[in-house]
Amino acid sequence: MPNVEIEEYVDRVEVTRDGDIQWRKAKVLVDDNGRALNKSFVDRQVVSPGDIDAGKHSEIPEIVRAIAEIEHTPERIKKRRVNVLIPHKQHEVEMQKNLYDRRVREAAEASIGDKDAAETAVSKQAIEVDAAEAALAALVGDE
């Protein structure tokens, strides 16, 4: 019976115009003669400017790290923060505030037996609004 080995490696790396680096890994079954018997793609990931510094990815292949050192310039990181992260966080704050308003209305309309639960939901939602606003303030303050 032939001996079969499994090799796993980064098969493709691409850089988008916004500086996102995406890569995929391939898994190949190789026989004794070095011939590939089967190849499948097992993993695809993306790292955006600023993600490596923020520690969002722990197992980044060395080739991707090397490309990120060149592509993830301070300008690209700032552009992503301004164009993507801050608007996303602003949207999240608005959604949390809308949910808070809904919880307040529900509490006002709740029957006497449900008042405590409704008021607890309002309090919890107020904490979520505060957390989202603090995260937005931190992002804006980093500019």
Side-chain angles (χ1 to χ4, degrees), residues 37-101:
L37 303 174
N38 185 16
K39 182 176 183 178
S40 61
F41 304 106
V42 295
D43 190 24
R44 181 177 285 276
Q45 294 187 37
V46 176
V47 63
S48 298
D51 284 356
I52 292 176
D53 295 337
K56 292 185 178 181
H57 296 274
S58 59
E59 295 182 21
I60 297 177
E62 285 303 313
I63 184 74
V64 175
R65 285 187 182 280
I67 293 169
E69 285 182 20
I70 296 166
E71 294 291 335
H72 292 178
T73 63
E75 295 80 19
R76 272 205 168 140
I77 293 170
K78 182 176 181 178
K79 182 179 176 183
R80 180 170 182 262
R81 179 180 291 124
V82 170
N83 294 339
V84 176
L85 298 179
I86 291 175
H88 176 75
K89 193 55 76 175
Q90 288 169 331
H91 178 70
E92 181 182 333
V93 167
E94 288 305 312
M95 290 184 65
Q96 293 293 348
K97 286 180 177 180
N98 290 340
L99 189 53
Y100 174 81
D101 291 343

